[in-house]
Amino acid sequence: MRVLVTGGAGYIGTHTLLELVAAGHEPFVVDNFENASPRALARVGELIQRPIPHATCDVRDRSTLTEIFEDIRPEAVIHFAGLKAVGESEERPRDYYDVNVAGTLTLLAAMEAVDCARIVFSSSATVYGAPDYLPYDEAHPTRPLSVYAKTKLMAEDILRDWHSAHPQSAVLLLRYFNPVGAHISGRIGEDPQGWPNNLMPFITQVAVGRRDKLMVFGDDYDTPDGTGVRDYIHVVDLARAHVAALTHAEKTPGAEVINIGTGQGYSVLEMIRAFEAATGLEIPHEIAPRREGDIAAMQADVRRAETLLGWRARHGLAEMMASAWGWQSANPQGYTTDN
Ligand code: UD1
């Protein structure tokens, strides 16, 4: 299918482009390149040996976006574009509602203009909030704890209501757990701007010498070793989940919420040990106070993804670690220095 990919130059977007092309789809990227580098798209082009067609456009720019849709006539959309830093979302709520919520509405308007009725949306397990039980299944109540989480849930609600009004549409709301790792080539990977918010890029930046040590946020949680437990998923598996979602959307109208994780949880200390084992490096770390807003543990119930999409994660922790290091060691400063 012709697939318009918003935010296609980002971490998950670039990995998804490779899987889309491998599956015979024709992606077209729309990105404002505010949090992503054009070099990332160039690297994808290099890997597939042809350029990725794209346009520089913000998802809130309705007239340009509609022109692009009229030109490309996509049969489906994958909507990655959005702001995603929890702490920043509390400081700049208007920007988060504007980009993540208003941006989704603008996108829907552009889709309607060309009768495009399939969308795969990049949501997050953060919409669940504190767990009543684990693993989270999709019926778990949603109680977002941050502005960021609220914007993701609002966008989900908008898309669900849009489906109700357009019963022939296919809306797939993918709730990602914690994506880590990189493509095996080491040419594309996660490249956070500034201070990394997330664990994995912090570990690789310590390993490459950009940071002195990792702070482990709390060792007094109610988990086996006291540190936070998360469901880390290899970004290539996550990318494949989007292809499976498109295949489903092509044939089946409906609105579905689907967890995308492995179903397996690892603690911060287990992540450090796994990285050290995979790379032979040592990660200096020390225990620090808990980070505000963090929960002890989260893990996905992945049965719906298996039954509905026929998808399950294939890559284990060692591959997540080795590939994350493959990317970071070959690109110590991310995309800022090209080679
Ligand atoms: C965070 C976001 C979540 C978002 C997800 C993916 C918060 C509260 N949640 O999830 O909304 O969807 O990223 O982008 O920010 N840790 C350390 N030291 C560090 C960094 C992290 O010990 O320097 C710990 C955390 O306390 C946590 C685990 O590592 O236990 C994973 O943290 P992180 O990678 O930030 O992901 P989440 O907090 O799960």
Side-chain angles (χ1 to χ4, degrees):
M1 285 193 285
R2 286 187 308 282
V3 186
L4 190 138
V5 184
T6 74
Y11 171 46
I12 304 170
T14 46
H15 288 84
T16 301
L17 292 173
L18 290 177
E19 300 303 318
L20 288 174
V21 170
H25 294 295
E26 298 161 50
F28 183 95
V29 169
V30 169
D31 205 303
N32 67 2
F33 296 105
E34 271 180 24
N35 266 327
S37 168
R39 286 177 180 157
L41 272 194
R43 297 259 184 110
V44 174
E46 180 193 289
L47 290 167
I48 62 166
Q49 297 178 332
R50 63 191 144 93
I52 291 281
H54 62 277
T56 303
C57 173
D58 192 291
V59 280
R60 293 164 294 178
D61 178 350
R62 183 161 170 173
S63 60
T64 310
L65 199 62
T66 305
E67 276 171 30
I68 293 169
F69 269 76
E70 281 167 350
D71 189 27
I72 305 300
R73 302 252 148 203
E75 294 152 281
V77 168
I78 303 181
H79 183 28
F80 291 115
L83 299 176
K84 60 159 193 176
V86 174
E88 184 185 67
S89 77
E90 305 295 326
E91 288 153 25
R92 293 168 45 200
R94 190 168 55 77
D95 288 336
Y96 274 68
Y97 287 108
D98 196 25
V99 176
N100 295 1
V101 181
T104 300
L105 285 167
T106 310
L107 182 64
L108 281 177
M111 288 173 64
E112 282 183 14
V114 298
D115 291 325
C116 176
R118 301 183 186 102
I119 181 165
V120 178
F121 176 63
S122 182
S123 189
S124 168
T126 193
V127 299
Y128 291 119
D132 289 345
Y133 55 84
L134 287 173
Y136 292 115
D137 55 28
E138 291 84 352
H140 188 284
T142 48
R143 285 185 298 259
L145 295 170
S146 66
V147 169
Y148 165 68
K150 286 182 201 167
T151 65
K152 284 292 174 187
L153 191 57
M154 282 183 191
E156 283 194 8
D157 285 340
I158 288 167
L159 290 165
R160 262 189 289 262
D161 289 344
W162 185 76
H163 167 74
S164 301
H166 301 83
Q168 287 314 306
S169 67
V171 169
L172 292 171
L173 309 169
L174 305 187
R175 290 182 179 160
Y176 309 157
F177 281 67
N178 292 56
V180 297
H183 188 255
I184 190 81
S185 64
R187 296 295 287 160
I188 56 172
E190 188 169 15
D191 183 23
Q193 309 301 304
W195 195 260
N197 293 307
N198 298 116
L199 177 64
M200 200 62 222
F202 212 101
I203 291 178
T204 59
Q205 289 194 10
V206 170
V208 84
R210 281 171 66 178
R211 318 271 167 207
D212 291 342
K213 61 179 178 228
L214 172 76
M215 306 306 260
V216 176
F217 297 144
D219 69 347
D220 56 354
Y221 284 107
D222 183 16
T223 59
D225 66 18
T227 65
V229 168
R230 297 291 184 273
D231 184 332
Y232 296 94
I233 174 169
H234 197 301
V235 67
V236 172
D237 279 327
L238 176 57
R240 286 177 37 247
H242 292 79
V243 177
L246 276 185
T247 305
H248 185 272
E250 194 169 4
K251 296 179 297 226
T252 324
E256 302 283 357
V257 178
I258 309 172
N259 286 339
I260 305 292
T262 66
Q264 178 85 44
Y266 293 103
S267 74
V268 177
L269 294 179
E270 283 175 315
M271 293 294 281
I272 296 171
R273 269 187 244 112
F275 185 84
E276 292 178 337
T279 62
L281 299 165
E282 200 186 317
I283 299 299
H285 59 276
E286 74 184 42
I287 306 299
R290 291 181 178 193
R291 180 173 65 180
E292 205 186 313
D294 270 358
I295 59 174
M298 64 153 93
Q299 220 168 302
D301 182 326
V302 294
R303 285 175 298 176
R304 184 175 288 178
E306 289 194 31
T307 49
L308 216 55
L309 305 181
W311 169 93
R312 64 186 301 172
R314 290 181 190 152
H315 299 292
L317 196 56
E319 289 163 290
M320 299 181 207
M321 296 300 168
S323 64
W325 181 235
W327 150 253
Q328 189 77 81
S329 56
N331 304 273
Q333 302 297 328
Y335 294 110
T336 53
T337 49
D338 208 1
N339 54 44

